[in-house]
Amino acid sequence: MIGTHRNRHGSFLVLALGTLVLCAPALARVTWIRKSTTTGDLPAPNSGQQQTCCVVFDIDGDGIDDFVIGERTRTPSVVWYKYNGKGWNRYVIDDTPLRPEAGGAAYDIDGDGDLDLVLGQDASGNAIWWWENPAPDFRKPWTRRLIKNTGGRKHHDQTFGDFTGAGRAQFVTWNQGDKRLLLYGIPSDPKGSEPWPSTTIYQWTTGREREGFPSLPADIDGDGKLDILLNGGTKKAAIDRWQRHHIADLPARAMFVQAGDLNGDGRPDLIAGGWWWENPGTLGGKWKQHTIGEPLRNMAAVYDFDGDTHLDIVGTQGVGSQKNSSFVWARNDGKGNFTIHDSIGYAGGGDFLEGCIVGDLDVISIGWYNPKLWIFENLGTGGK
């Protein structure tokens, strides 16, 4: 049921057609109900063709998840949705033409007790923006300010966390145009500081484009400090230096790296594509590779979807473009052994790009090729 699970960071996605039923051995069935802009269950963000980002956070502070959708071909370019008990109301954050990239994050940047929004610009420009949340008076506009407006273009994926042990969060973003990972300290006066100064903590010169973060930062080596998990390794935070630790060579385009304890040993493991790597307890140790199942092109969300206390995985399978993929559910036995036992749905028309987990593991999927949204409401094992 939407409305009880608070999640500051987006996870990735699920899309299907019709009412869905996930079945787990020796467990009651988990029932999902599909709701969509195509059937009038919620209003479309705009009339555009390229929805790019989905960010989930409690915008108005009522304890119920809201979500933000960005679209880059029409206005309004950024909107947010609030659940009203029966459906969703859409509100405008920014009605100017912008080109937000996939990703985004939420954090209380100005320290006023509500969560603000951050989105990066796509390959059309070098900007990263943050919007001041006007809560509790939403008759006021969301004020847009700059974090970055120089250097390379494209900013696919962001996160917040205290990666330096400073006792306060920093902002981390990919800048694909400059082939860099950038860290920003939040200024003491963020409303009066444009742009923010940054530090490069990782860069590359050749190879595929880097992108992706776990839905939540993780302490990989158990030293009490958050690490940055990247597609291809981690960045270990220290006050005066950054050190890169290689974990595994990931398959091509396995960008959506996640972290979670899959075998119950108390340590966060690495998950990407159709594989996971067992955390040895130290960044310098050898990470043992395990197979999840048939390759998951876009490894999606890592949550306990069936209520057995073990982390499961939702992802897509298929060959060729994302138009020809289907969604599957990989059930974890608690020891890191997975069974891909149920096809969730077929992505006919290619209408999936990014998604979010909201409520009690309800799922939002945004459409890339068509202006659509889908919400799959998790009714739990009761089915009502």
Side-chain angles (χ1 to χ4, degrees):
M1 191 83 181
I2 286 178
T4 59
H5 176 73
R6 298 190 59 177
N7 182 8
R8 290 189 175 187
H9 299 268
S11 247
F12 287 79
L13 87 149
V14 159
L15 165 67
L17 303 175
T19 300
L20 308 178
V21 178
L22 301 183
C23 302
L27 290 175
R29 297 193 305 180
V30 179
T31 304
W32 301 75
I33 290 184
R34 173 187 185 269
K35 298 183 178 181
S36 172
T37 55
T38 63
T39 51
D41 298 301
L42 68 165
N46 61 27
S47 60
Q49 298 296 312
Q50 293 184 11
Q51 296 163 134
T52 55
C53 49
C54 174
V55 185
V56 173
F57 59 108
D58 181 5
I59 289 175
D60 54 3
D62 64 355
I64 299 174
D65 278 342
D66 310 298
F67 62 93
V68 171
I69 302 294
E71 205 281 338
R72 65 185 184 183
T73 66
R74 295 287 189 272
T75 59
S77 53
V78 187
V79 299
W80 70 283
Y81 288 77
K82 176 177 175 59
Y83 188 61
N84 60 26
K86 296 181 179 179
W88 290 265
N89 298 327
R90 189 203 71 160
Y91 302 95
V92 174
I93 291 178
D94 202 311
D95 61 1
T96 62
L98 296 175
R99 294 185 62 86
E101 182 56 274
Y107 190 76
D108 184 7
I109 290 174
D110 54 8
D112 64 355
D114 54 51
L115 297 174
D116 306 302
L117 172 68
V118 174
L119 296 175
Q121 190 172 4
D122 67 5
S124 66
N126 57 16
I128 300 174
W129 310 284
W130 75 277
W131 285 262
E132 180 187 351
N133 188 337
D137 187 358
F138 289 98
R139 294 172 298 179
K140 297 178 180 179
W142 291 66
T143 301
R144 185 178 77 235
R145 296 184 172 88
L146 281 167
I147 293 176
K148 175 182 179 292
N149 64 348
T150 59
R153 300 181 177 190
K154 191 174 181 181
H155 313 85
H156 194 307
D157 303 319
Q158 294 79 33
T159 191
F160 282 91
D162 182 5
F163 301 107
T164 67
R168 57 185 182 277
Q170 299 88 45
F171 170 64
V172 174
T173 181
W174 288 107
N175 184 186
Q176 282 81 10
D178 266 347
K179 295 182 173 61
R180 295 174 185 266
L181 183 67
L182 303 176
L183 179 140
Y184 292 81
I186 300 174
S188 57
D189 178 21
K191 296 181 183 180
S193 303
E194 293 184 303
W196 300 359
S198 68
T199 300
T200 298
I201 57 177
Y202 171 68
Q203 62 186 113
W204 73 99
T205 56
T206 61
R208 70 182 189 267
E209 213 171 58
R210 310 293 201 263
E211 62 185 46
F213 289 113
S215 55
L216 292 173
D219 176 8
I220 301 298
D221 59 351
D223 66 354
K225 297 179 181 178
L226 291 178
D227 305 304
I228 302 176
L229 188 61
L230 311 177
N231 58 315
T234 65
K235 284 294 170 184
K236 179 65 181 70
I239 298 299
D240 58 351
R241 61 187 173 89
W242 292 84
Q243 183 180 358
R244 181 176 184 269
H245 298 267
H246 182 265
I247 292 177
D249 294 322
L250 303 186
R253 304 304 300 174
M255 297 300 187
F256 304 127
V257 179
Q258 295 282 354
D261 181 8
L262 300 184
N263 57 2
D265 64 1
R267 298 190 293 264
D269 305 302
L270 166 68
I271 309 104
W275 301 269
W276 69 277
W277 288 263
E278 185 177 346
N279 190 332
T282 173
L283 285 173
K286 182 176 177 57
W287 292 63
K288 183 179 179 181
Q289 181 175 328
H290 302 269
T291 299
I292 295 171
E294 297 179 31
L296 305 180
R297 286 177 53 82
N298 287 327
M299 189 277 303
V302 180
Y303 286 96
D304 175 15
F305 282 95
D306 58 0
D308 65 356
T309 73
H310 309 313
L311 291 178
D312 307 306
I313 297 172
V314 168
T316 63
Q317 287 183 337
V319 296
S321 71
Q322 58 194 29
K323 294 182 181 180
N324 300 314
S325 295
S326 61
F327 288 85
V328 295
W329 178 56
R331 181 174 182 262
N332 185 0
D333 69 355
K335 299 179 181 179
N337 301 308
F338 288 88
T339 302
I340 299 179
H341 64 92
D342 192 17
S343 177
I344 296 175
Y346 174 64
D351 290 308
F352 71 92
L353 175 70
E354 187 171 69
C356 313
I357 303 297
V358 298
D360 286 347
L361 301 182
D362 305 311
V363 183
I364 303 169
S365 175
I366 63 176
W368 169 252
Y369 296 96
N370 291 289
K372 301 175 184 177
L373 295 177
W374 293 264
I375 293 180
F376 300 95
E377 188 173 353
N378 185 344
L379 299 184
T381 57
K384 296 180 180 181

